[in-house]
Amino acid sequence: HSIAQIDDFPVAQICSTASFHLLPSFDISPFTDFCDTTIGLVFREGFWLYLFFIASGYLLAQTEVKNIRELIFQSLKRFVRLGIPIFFSSFVIIVLLHICGLHNQETRAFFTNEWYQGAYSSALSVIDLLKSPFDVLLANKCRFNSPYWVLKEMFIASLIIFLWKYLRTRIIKHPFFQLLFEGIILYMAGRYSYILCTCLMGMIIS
């Protein structure tokens, strides 16, 4: 029942994250000031991003990984699951660039987002498009969209979760050692990346 409820949650998360990323990009001082207050916490994009990462880790932890074959299959499946949206969105970007061109300088008066103002300063080719899923998930190169970098962290978290599910099923079966191992993983992840850490938090509370 709880899984079914969380499955419906990403819609609200996506809409909220997109909205609260977009609104601060406009020069709206009252809204920006409100977001800096305690009550305005829920209107910050980071709040919804953290919830998204935790929910993602929670759902991935429901995956059964009982042997090496399932470990490899789930890892490849996850790569495809993240790679297809990367490729499709990159395709849309390259089509728009060729049809509409760039108007960053003309529109910068309406936006305060520094990334947008300096985006797409170099040409993008079909080869770049074909390489985009591999560049993002394996090499952390985000030529089409700078925020894609979070997907590499999510992919790494997925691999760790699948590996932990396998180890927990086959090797580390004692609850004490499981808890100790999870604590070590979370500590190391926190020193590396907050995205990786929050995804693994979802795994631990599952």
Side-chain angles (χ1 to χ4, degrees):
H1 179 64
S2 60
I3 297 298
Q5 289 179 326
I6 292 180
D7 277 338
D8 296 332
F9 194 41
V11 176
Q13 287 179 314
I14 291 171
C15 293
S16 301
T17 302
S19 299
F20 301 134
H21 260 84
L22 178 63
L23 289 176
S25 296
F26 294 93
D27 192 10
I28 307 175
S29 297
F31 179 79
T32 304
D33 295 339
F34 176 71
C35 288
D36 290 335
T37 65
T38 303
I39 300 176
L41 172 68
V42 295
F43 294 98
R44 299 178 194 170
E45 69 276 10
F47 175 83
W48 293 96
L49 280 173
Y50 290 138
L51 288 182
F52 178 81
F53 297 140
I54 292 173
S56 175
Y58 182 93
L59 292 173
L60 285 171
Q62 311 308 312
T63 305
E64 293 293 333
V65 183
K66 299 179 180 179
N67 51 56
I68 295 294
R69 183 177 179 181
E70 289 183 356
L71 175 62
I72 295 174
F73 173 76
Q74 292 296 342
S75 300
L76 293 175
K77 181 180 177 182
R78 185 61 173 167
F79 181 88
V80 173
R81 173 66 181 83
L82 294 174
I84 290 177
I86 292 172
F87 177 83
F88 177 75
S89 58
S90 299
F91 174 77
V92 172
I93 289 171
I94 203 169
V95 168
L96 290 175
L97 287 176
H98 281 80
I99 293 176
C100 305
L102 290 175
H103 302 279
N104 299 40
Q105 296 301 318
E106 295 89 333
T107 58
R108 66 185 305 167
F110 304 100
F111 296 91
T112 57
N113 189 306
E114 294 181 1
W115 169 81
Y116 170 78
Q117 293 174 359
Y120 310 117
S121 57
S122 59
L124 297 170
S125 66
V126 175
I127 299 298
D128 294 324
L129 173 63
L130 296 175
K131 290 168 50 182
S132 58
F134 302 93
D135 281 345
V136 172
L137 297 177
L138 301 180
N140 201 27
K141 296 178 181 178
C142 311
R143 296 192 63 194
F144 284 88
N145 193 342
S146 177
Y148 282 169
W149 70 270
V150 302
L151 296 177
K152 182 189 177 183
E153 309 294 335
M154 294 182 67
F155 181 60
I156 294 175
S158 304
L159 299 182
I160 294 175
I161 290 172
F162 295 148
L163 178 60
W164 171 232
K165 293 288 291 186
Y166 168 74
L167 293 175
R168 186 171 179 171
T169 302
R170 303 288 301 219
I171 301 175
I172 307 176
K173 298 183 179 181
H174 194 283
F176 172 77
F177 292 108
Q178 290 179 352
L179 185 62
L180 178 63
F181 193 76
E182 289 175 347
I184 294 173
I185 291 176
L186 195 61
Y187 172 76
M188 294 178 64
R191 294 179 62 86
Y192 173 74
S193 163
Y194 71 88
I195 295 175
L196 188 61
C197 184
T198 48
C199 286
L200 296 180
M201 284 175 60
M203 173 194 76
I204 290 174
I205 66 176
S206 64

